[in-house]
Amino acid sequence: MDIETFAKGIGAFGVIYTIGRGIVEHMAGRTSKMRDEYRFAKDFFKDLKDHDNIHPYVLEKGYQAIAGTPTIKSQEVRYILTLEDSATCLKDFVLARDYLKHLNTNGNLQITFLDKYSNPQSRFWRKWLYIGLYGVLALGALSPIILLRQFGLSAKQAFTLLVLSLPLLGYYAVVSLRSAVKINRAEKLVLNQRQHTQRIITGLNS
């Protein structure tokens, strides 16, 4: 491998890291419309305080709107809103929902892993497998650029291959990274829940 190819490889890893970081930050909700979320939450909780007999349908839709998805149940949102740093906990629960379950019990530990992911070792190897797949797939997506000179490709040939590899391998690279992030967020949420010595009193537990 010559110096030029090596340099391109280092550059590609930089691109992969940057893209991966952008995906993680996007999944963390940094691009969400925080002002709109604030206004809706403020109005919704005011309605809860001012009206005792809100229709169950309205309550369900309101809590789902707080969560930003119709796949979450109102009792799940109500519980998460009693946790410290509830905004982050709710985003983590929505993101990692495929790995978690909500127990319909009283107490401070209502969120746990699905049985399939309850073993820490099963989560460990899955998480690092997904990270490894992301690296391999992202590198494969950019390989026409990295190996342009190595295989004597013309700029046109490299571009043609990039048009094919980038959307295909790039898509699965993103899926792999998202899966790793989901597991990591699920672990943080469960750990965060267990570390709480006291739940926030919000008046939403009834």
Side-chain angles (χ1 to χ4, degrees):
M1 178 182 295
D2 57 27
I3 295 177
E4 184 177 354
T5 302
F6 178 77
K8 287 181 179 179
I10 295 298
F13 277 112
V15 172
I16 292 170
Y17 171 79
T18 302
I19 294 173
R21 182 176 178 179
I23 294 170
V24 172
E25 290 181 354
H26 177 74
M27 293 173 67
R30 294 186 181 183
T31 58
S32 62
K33 297 179 180 178
M34 297 181 66
R35 291 181 180 177
D36 291 341
E37 291 179 351
Y38 166 77
R39 292 191 187 98
F40 177 82
K42 183 179 180 181
D43 292 341
F44 178 65
F45 291 134
K46 185 178 186 300
D47 285 344
L48 288 180
K49 182 179 179 180
D50 295 344
H51 302 88
D52 295 331
N53 298 318
I54 298 179
H55 194 280
Y57 177 84
V58 176
L59 283 176
E60 189 76 13
K61 290 301 178 183
Y63 281 117
Q64 288 177 345
I66 291 289
T69 173
T71 63
I72 305 299
K73 297 179 180 179
S74 60
Q75 59 264 36
E76 295 171 337
V77 180
R78 283 200 299 269
Y79 167 70
I80 293 172
L81 290 178
T82 67
L83 300 177
E84 296 175 0
D85 195 11
S86 58
T88 299
C89 289
L90 185 56
K91 288 181 183 298
D92 288 346
F93 184 75
V94 171
L95 178 64
R97 188 68 180 88
D98 293 340
Y99 296 90
L100 298 168
K101 63 181 177 181
H102 175 248
L103 304 175
N104 293 320
T105 59
N106 294 324
N108 294 344
L109 301 176
Q110 295 185 20
I111 298 174
T112 188
F113 293 102
L114 292 173
D115 294 341
K116 182 178 179 180
Y117 308 107
S118 60
N119 189 322
Q121 293 299 322
S122 70
R123 299 194 302 273
F124 178 84
W125 72 258
R126 282 184 171 87
K127 181 165 55 177
W128 286 102
L129 174 62
Y130 289 135
I131 292 174
L133 283 173
Y134 168 72
V136 171
L137 291 168
L139 191 60
L142 298 174
S143 61
I145 297 175
I146 302 170
L147 302 176
L148 187 151
R149 291 287 296 276
Q150 193 78 5
F151 288 94
L153 299 175
S154 66
K156 183 178 180 179
Q157 289 173 325
F159 178 77
T160 300
L161 291 174
L162 189 65
V163 169
L164 296 174
S165 66
L166 197 58
L168 180 60
L169 297 180
Y171 169 78
Y172 288 107
V174 171
V175 170
S176 297
L177 183 60
R178 281 180 58 87
S179 297
V181 172
K182 287 179 180 181
I183 295 175
N184 187 61
R185 292 295 176 79
E187 290 177 330
K188 285 186 176 181
L189 176 56
V190 172
L191 179 62
N192 184 43
Q193 175 192 227
R194 289 174 178 171
Q195 288 179 336
H196 290 162
T197 57
Q198 169 179 335
R199 287 168 60 187
I200 299 172
I201 305 301
T202 65
L204 302 177
N205 296 324
S206 58

